[in-house]
């Protein structure tokens, strides 16, 4: 095993997660919550119908802006949660300190990694950098490709409660 260069001399490509779980812009806030919970992730890139990168919803924003006004509010588009500030990004060949500076300047714990055309190719989080500094690289699983993945999972919402004399979904009388 060859020793790695000091972190400040390494590139963003060496730390970034390239096989990302993303969500389509038209999906709901509830879908974003479901995806993040099921996948155990704290950052969810949002892409348009052509796969263009629109921004990132993080768990902190999702919980801070959650509206408990009922199912209709939970079904609003996930794009409602995208930050209004300019979204910064770094390139795969940038040094890791550039990613850290970008996080500090934007006040986030993540930075998107885009190619020269602005297409999303990865994500670096503060957790990634801390893991590397601690000498405990995170297991990012097998990278299937250089392109982000788009997974669709449909949440199952409960229907209306059964009326008098009707049976519940499980067949029990109410």
């Amino acid at each position: 095993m060859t020793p790695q260069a000091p972190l400040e001399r390494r590139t963003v490509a060496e730390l970034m997660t390239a096989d990302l779980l993303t969500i389509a812009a038209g999906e709901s806030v509830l879908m974003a919550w479901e995806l993040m919970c099921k996948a155990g992730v704290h950052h969810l890139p949002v892409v348009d119908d052509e796969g263009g990168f629109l921004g990132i919803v993080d768990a902190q924003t999702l919980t801070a802006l959650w509206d408990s006004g009922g199912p209709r509010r939970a079904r609003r588009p996930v794009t409602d949660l995208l930050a209004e500030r300019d979204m910064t990004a770094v390139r795969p060949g940038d040094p890791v300190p550039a990613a850290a500076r970008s996080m500090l300047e934007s006040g986030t714990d993540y930075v998107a990694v885009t190619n020269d055309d602005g297409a999303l190719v990865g994500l670096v989080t503060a957790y990634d950098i801390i893991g590397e500094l601690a000498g405990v690289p995170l297991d990012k699983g097998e990278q299937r490709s250089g392109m982000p993945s788009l997974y669709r999972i449909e949440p199952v919402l409960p229907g209306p409660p059964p009326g008098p004399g009707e049976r519940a979904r499980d067949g029990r009388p109410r």
Side-chain angles (χ1 to χ4, degrees):
M1 186 167 146
T2 60
Q4 292 188 337
L7 189 57
E8 63 272 10
R9 286 197 230 137
R10 295 175 59 200
T11 66
V12 167
E14 295 176 62
L15 263 65
M16 73 180 192
T17 300
D19 193 20
L20 298 171
L21 175 66
T22 61
I23 188 166
E27 294 292 352
S28 69
V29 171
L30 179 60
M31 177 63 78
W33 179 256
E34 288 282 329
L35 285 172
M36 291 172 95
C37 288
K38 294 227 183 268
V41 297
H42 296 101
H43 306 90
L44 195 58
V46 181
V47 295
D48 62 22
D49 291 337
E50 290 80 38
F53 177 54
L54 300 176
I56 295 175
V57 172
D58 62 5
Q60 182 178 0
T61 301
L62 187 84
T63 54
L65 298 178
W66 184 261
D67 185 345
S68 61
R72 286 192 180 142
R73 295 296 299 155
R75 289 187 178 117
R76 70 181 192 231
V78 70
T79 52
D80 285 0
L81 301 181
L82 292 179
E84 304 249 344
R85 63 184 171 267
D86 289 334
M87 191 186 55
T88 59
V90 294
R91 302 285 185 258
D94 288 347
V96 171
R101 271 190 302 279
S102 180
M103 289 181 216
L104 287 172
E105 290 168 1
S106 66
T108 63
D109 66 343
Y110 60 86
V111 63
V113 183
T114 58
N115 64 17
D116 292 336
D117 297 324
L120 180 68
V121 295
L123 185 70
V124 173
T125 67
Y127 194 71
D128 296 329
I129 294 173
I130 292 168
E132 288 291 329
L133 280 173
V136 185
L138 305 173
D139 179 21
K140 297 179 189 279
E142 182 181 328
Q143 301 288 321
R144 291 190 291 271
S145 72
M147 294 297 296
S149 302
L150 176 63
Y151 299 98
R152 288 187 180 264
I153 301 173
E154 294 295 327
V156 178
L157 299 174
E166 292 181 352
R167 294 188 175 266
R169 286 186 181 182
D170 62 6
R172 293 183 291 175
R174 291 277 170 145

